[in-house]
Amino acid sequence: MSQTDIFSVLQTGLTQAGSVQTPGETHGTLTGMLCINNEVSPAAAVDDVAGEQLGQALDALREMTLEGLFDPDLSFRPLLPDDDTVDLDTRVAALARWCGGFLYGLSFFGDFNPAHLSAEVREVLNDLTELSKAELTAEEDGDSAEGDYAELVEYVRVAVQMIFLECQPKREGPQTRETLH
């Protein structure tokens, strides 16, 4: 499943399940949980998993997320609405909810303590907290706002990699992961 397909299936499945979560928020939650425990079940990131198709999408999302997080080329990408089909205001709101979900996912197990992290990663966590409140203002519009949004998405992408690498136990040798099919 492609990231666009997963987004669509999640959106439909979450709506049918009566969940108030968005696909991005769900992915953010799952990503935060995986930063702490990369063995977590994807169903833990959703209020209520109903339906086989939603379960399959969550499994595919978990695998795609872990592949991106473990990838030495840092290919992780947050699951957000498509830039070409959704207006900027909606995408900014989705990014904010993604960040909120991510922060929730980090704290889900109850033993996450930012004090044990480097000063740089604590600063990144503060930035993500601020981004979870982001919204588009009336004076922000056009190409510069689109560029700013793209920079924020890239910042989130890199920030999550930093957090993941610091939270995961150190490994001997190359950090690779077998792909499950």
Side-chain angles (χ1 to χ4, degrees):
M1 258 191 222
S2 73
Q3 197 164 16
T4 303
D5 294 338
I6 291 172
F7 188 93
S8 178
V9 170
L10 277 177
Q11 191 162 35
T12 301
L14 291 167
T15 301
Q16 289 174 347
S19 177
V20 296
Q21 288 177 273
T22 63
E25 184 179 20
T26 299
H27 184 238
T29 300
L30 177 61
T31 303
M33 294 167 83
L34 291 170
C35 283
I36 303 301
N37 175 0
N38 64 41
E39 299 297 324
V40 71
S41 165
V46 181
D47 295 335
D48 181 25
V49 179
E52 184 178 334
Q53 193 172 22
L54 179 57
Q56 289 173 347
L58 286 168
D59 289 340
L61 182 61
R62 178 184 182 277
E63 289 306 310
M64 182 185 303
T65 301
L66 282 172
E67 285 175 17
L69 290 170
F70 278 105
D71 183 2
D73 294 327
L74 308 175
S75 66
F76 169 80
R77 288 181 28 215
L79 183 68
L80 297 167
D82 190 340
D83 289 354
D84 297 331
T85 60
V86 179
D87 64 77
L88 182 59
D89 191 42
T90 302
R91 287 181 282 139
V92 169
L95 179 61
R97 288 192 72 173
W98 193 99
C99 290
F102 178 75
L103 295 168
Y104 172 74
L106 285 175
S107 65
F108 182 81
F109 299 106
D111 58 356
F112 178 70
N113 186 350
H116 296 141
L117 301 174
S118 68
E120 186 178 29
V121 169
R122 286 194 311 271
E123 184 177 328
V124 165
L125 286 170
N126 287 334
D127 292 345
L128 292 176
T129 299
E130 290 303 311
L131 282 172
S132 73
K133 304 171 200 171
E135 56 185 32
L136 192 64
T137 61
E139 62 269 2
E140 294 176 310
D141 200 15
D143 292 337
S144 71
E146 284 287 345
D148 292 345
Y149 171 77
E151 286 181 26
L152 288 175
V153 171
E154 180 63 12
Y155 181 83
V156 168
R157 189 186 76 73
V158 173
V160 167
Q161 281 290 170
M162 287 174 57
I163 293 166
F164 178 76
L165 291 172
E166 192 157 320
C167 289
Q168 287 297 299
K170 303 295 182 231
R171 293 171 185 79
E172 298 298 323
Q175 293 185 358
T176 59
R177 183 174 183 282
E178 289 183 32
T179 303
L180 300 176
H181 293 280

